[in-house]
Amino acid sequence: MKNTIITISRQYGSAGRAIGHQVAEKLGLECYDSQIITKIAEESGFDAEYVRQNSETTSESGFFASLTGMDLYTFSNRDTIWVLQTKIITELAEKGPCVIVGRCADYILKDKYDLLKVFIYADDKDRIQRITEEYHEAEPGKNAEKHLIANDKRRATYYDIYTDQKFGDYHYYDMCLSSSTLGIDTCAHMITEAYAKKTAE
């Protein structure tokens, strides 16, 4: 079997994390998600919540402010987190086949490992329902929609800055799956089947 790593990139609220964990369980692999944040926090000394907010998303205003010298300290912290994130994800991949959710793992590992790169997306309606009813990160109504749009912008900006690739562009992935159309279980099954075929070649 090849030492193939599955990377799960995903829209906020698309159930990409749940799909990644289900895939790992089906294949008997480790799934790395929040553990990456914990490791970065331990090595950097930053609070875990601060790492979570700065290891996958950014604010456009904060980024552009840093370019003009208004927020160099924050930008320096984010750079430090990126370096540690790259180091930790590479170390986890070196342990063997696994599933890594988010954290730009698809880009970080692209020239070092055989990857199955997956992007999960979903309808806005389903994502809003998920972030309000499951994640409890927004209130129903306009607040939830604004929260979703803002998070999408921050995640895309972060990915574009650090990878020089466009977040969600199908050219960079092997599979792009809609959890709204297919459902979580079917997405996990399709990824599992694709992984089995890829590693058998």
Side-chain angles (χ1 to χ4, degrees):
M1 179 183 289
K2 292 181 181 179
N3 182 14
T4 300
I5 311 297
I6 300 174
T7 61
I8 307 285
S9 301
R10 74 278 187 241
Q11 279 188 316
Y12 176 56
S14 65
R17 178 178 288 108
I19 291 168
H21 281 274
Q22 190 172 136
V23 168
E25 184 177 355
K26 286 176 176 288
L27 293 171
L29 302 178
E30 290 289 340
C31 183
Y32 300 113
D33 181 13
S34 59
Q35 302 97 317
I36 297 172
I37 296 174
T38 301
K39 287 180 177 293
I40 294 172
E42 290 173 353
E43 294 194 25
S44 67
F46 295 138
D47 178 77
E49 179 59 23
Y50 180 84
V51 172
R52 188 185 72 81
Q53 293 177 358
N54 289 276
S55 64
E56 198 169 44
T57 62
T58 185
S59 67
E60 292 182 67
S61 60
F63 172 66
F64 290 119
S66 71
L67 292 182
T68 60
M70 295 170 60
D71 193 19
L72 290 174
Y73 181 72
T74 299
F75 185 67
S76 176
N77 284 351
R78 189 172 289 121
D79 253 2
T80 298
I81 290 171
W82 170 257
V83 171
L84 284 173
Q85 179 169 285
T86 300
K87 169 181 172 288
I88 289 166
I89 285 175
T90 302
E91 289 174 348
L92 292 173
E94 287 174 354
K95 293 181 178 181
C98 61
V99 178
I100 302 179
V101 179
R103 315 295 155 195
C104 301
D106 58 307
Y107 175 82
I108 291 169
L109 301 175
K110 67 176 182 144
D111 296 323
K112 305 171 186 175
Y113 293 91
D114 184 53
L115 302 179
L116 178 61
K117 296 176 288 184
V118 181
F119 184 77
I120 304 296
Y121 62 99
D123 297 340
D124 286 356
K125 174 178 64 67
D126 293 332
R127 294 199 293 146
I128 288 172
Q129 182 177 359
R130 190 167 284 113
I131 67 174
T132 55
E133 297 181 7
E134 292 183 30
Y135 302 172
H136 303 293
E137 293 182 357
E139 295 295 328
K142 291 184 178 179
N143 171 270
E145 186 174 356
K146 288 181 179 178
H147 182 73
L148 187 75
I149 292 171
N151 198 289
D152 282 349
K153 287 182 178 179
R154 289 195 299 268
R155 183 169 291 186
T157 300
Y158 180 91
Y159 188 87
D160 293 354
I161 290 168
Y162 281 102
T163 70
D164 197 29
Q165 297 180 172
K166 189 169 181 60
F167 183 72
D169 186 332
Y170 72 90
H171 291 97
Y172 300 115
Y173 306 100
D174 301 304
M175 304 176 72
C176 295
L177 305 174
S178 168
S179 59
S180 293
T181 301
L182 300 170
I184 292 174
D185 293 346
T186 300
C187 284
H189 176 74
M190 291 176 69
I191 296 167
T192 302
E193 289 293 305
Y195 181 84
K197 182 177 180 181
K198 184 174 179 64
T199 55
E201 293 175 351

